[in-house]
Amino acid sequence: MTTTLNQKDILKRGAIWAFILVELAFFAIVGDAMSVSSKAFLSVDNMLLLLKQSAPIGIIALGMTIVMINGNIDLSVGATFALAAVVLLDSMTWPFMQALGDWAIPLAWGFALLTGVVLGAINGLIVWKTGVDAFIVTLASMLGFRGLVFMYNGEQPTSHLNWTLVDFAEAQFLGLHTATWFLLGAALILWLLMTKTVHGRNAYAIGNNREAAVNAGIRVGPHFVLNFMLIGFLAALSAVVFYSESGSVNPNDGMLYELWAITAVVLGGTKLAGGYGSIISTLGGVIAIQLLRKGLGHIGADTQTVNLVIGLILIGVLFLDRQLNRKGQEELKI
């Protein structure tokens, strides 16, 4: 019995990496033949850029994995991302911050990250204290937080370009961009959190059977709050990484990020119902999506086609997930 479970677990966790290999082979052979560009898809520069471009959604998706393992979901991450970005850039224009010169940078980062933590705490506390499903709570907060973004600067873009920040964001170490290091660092820390700590074990236990977790003495409410604070922090961290380089945020920035993050998490094999998931597999899901977007763009496909293909693949993954996780033949009945 244990062997069977282990084999199923290996199959589910390895599927995303097999899919990535298929993508690489397809776009390297067929893609280059149909390409509108003379540059080879599998060039080192292309792959390094792909990893860098994966960072904004990837960092958020890592946090979404923990929340979904818990049996919850967070639809407000895109709005949190935008509001943290506005705070980051606008705070650097405050008189006392300008007087600090480049020493204002860590303070601005702190303000942005604190914004994400506070917004996450609001979500977590409402879910805990009201008992309302996280889907409804974060759908409402998505609208509310987005409203704050539009109110902050009168629906105008917020801009502030700091060249020290730009140099930091564009730097490379061992061939990898700064954003890539943030993505990989976040993945490593969260993997350790979920596999080596009591908090991680509790997350799986709560997602698998909330009632049993309560009976086992796990404080489910505070646990929820911590995980919503964590995903808020990661959404803000994603904004810090991205807008340190771009220097300008529009009120609509971050829209649909929650859907892209959820797609990456599901592609990585995390169960929507909770209780099962993997940080490393989510990282694979993020890379798989970025490969599709970049590869289809490489052969001249438009945005609508890219979204259609990813949507169809997601439907297929959800169907496969249902088949792998069904408990008996009776679940096939509709």
Side-chain angles (χ1 to χ4, degrees):
M1 184 68 174
T2 303
T3 303
T4 303
L5 289 174
N6 287 340
Q7 288 175 345
K8 181 182 285 190
D9 189 62
I10 291 171
L11 172 64
K12 291 166 70 174
R13 296 194 179 194
I16 188 62
W17 301 104
F19 180 59
I20 288 172
L21 290 177
V22 170
E23 286 183 289
L24 290 171
F26 176 82
F27 289 119
I29 300 171
V30 179
D32 284 349
M34 300 173 59
S35 174
V36 296
S37 169
S38 59
K39 191 173 185 178
F41 182 73
L42 287 183
S43 66
V44 173
D45 287 345
N46 224 18
M47 293 300 101
L48 291 176
L49 182 59
L50 181 144
L51 288 174
K52 178 185 178 183
Q53 293 170 338
S54 298
I57 296 295
I59 293 171
I60 296 173
L62 295 174
M64 188 71 75
T65 304
I66 298 175
V67 171
M68 288 175 64
I69 287 172
N70 237 173
N72 291 313
I73 201 164
D74 189 347
L75 300 179
S76 67
V77 288
T80 300
F81 171 89
L83 189 55
V86 169
V87 171
L88 169 73
L89 298 181
D90 189 62
S91 66
M92 297 188 73
T93 67
W94 300 345
F96 87 92
M97 293 283 279
Q98 288 185 321
L100 294 174
D102 285 343
W103 289 106
I105 292 174
L107 267 180
W109 283 348
F111 291 144
L113 295 174
L114 181 61
T115 298
V117 171
V118 170
L119 297 182
I122 292 171
N123 283 335
L125 284 169
I126 294 174
V127 171
W128 175 19
K129 294 300 184 179
T130 67
V132 176
D133 189 87
F135 181 91
I136 302 300
V137 171
T138 59
L139 178 62
S141 60
M142 174 184 73
L143 299 174
F145 296 165
R146 182 65 64 180
L148 291 176
V149 175
F150 276 91
M151 291 169 60
Y152 198 103
N153 259 5
E155 301 187 17
Q156 299 300 313
T158 302
S159 302
H160 181 79
L161 195 61
N162 181 295
W163 289 108
T164 302
L165 268 180
V166 172
D167 290 341
F168 170 77
E170 292 183 345
Q172 288 181 272
F173 178 68
L174 299 179
L176 299 178
H177 296 88
T178 300
T180 305
W181 282 111
F182 272 95
L183 174 62
L184 297 178
L188 176 60
I189 291 170
L190 294 178
W191 176 79
L192 291 171
L193 175 70
M194 296 303 289
T195 59
K196 307 297 182 182
T197 69
V198 173
H199 183 86
R201 291 193 292 273
N202 287 347
Y204 285 101
I206 293 169
N208 190 53
N209 190 322
R210 190 174 300 181
E211 185 177 346
V214 171
N215 292 335
I218 298 174
R219 300 184 66 205
V220 173
H223 184 90
F224 283 170
V225 175
L226 285 174
N227 282 338
F228 275 107
M229 290 171 67
L230 178 59
I231 193 173
F233 173 87
L234 290 167
L237 178 63
S238 176
V240 166
V241 171
F242 183 79
Y243 290 102
S244 290
E245 181 174 0
S246 72
S248 180
V249 54
N250 290 301
N252 285 317
D253 285 1
M255 279 192 173
L256 299 182
Y257 271 30
E258 57 279 346
L259 298 184
W260 285 111
I262 292 168
T263 301
V265 174
V266 173
L267 281 177
T270 297
K271 290 172 60 176
L272 285 170
Y276 180 88
S278 164
I279 293 294
I280 302 302
S281 294
T282 290
L283 186 61
V286 171
I287 294 172
I289 289 176
Q290 193 59 37
L291 271 172
L292 270 177
R293 296 174 70 177
K294 198 169 186 66
L296 290 171
H298 186 67
I299 61 178
D302 56 24
T303 303
Q304 291 81 359
T305 302
V306 174
N307 290 341
L308 174 62
V309 170
I310 293 176
L312 291 173
I313 289 173
L314 179 60
I315 291 172
V317 169
L318 289 172
F319 175 77
L320 180 61
D321 176 74
R322 177 177 173 81
Q323 300 308 305
L324 287 173
N325 290 293
R326 70 177 187 232
K327 296 179 181 178
Q329 292 298 322
E330 70 276 5
E331 294 192 15
L332 295 176
K333 297 177 183 178
I334 298 176

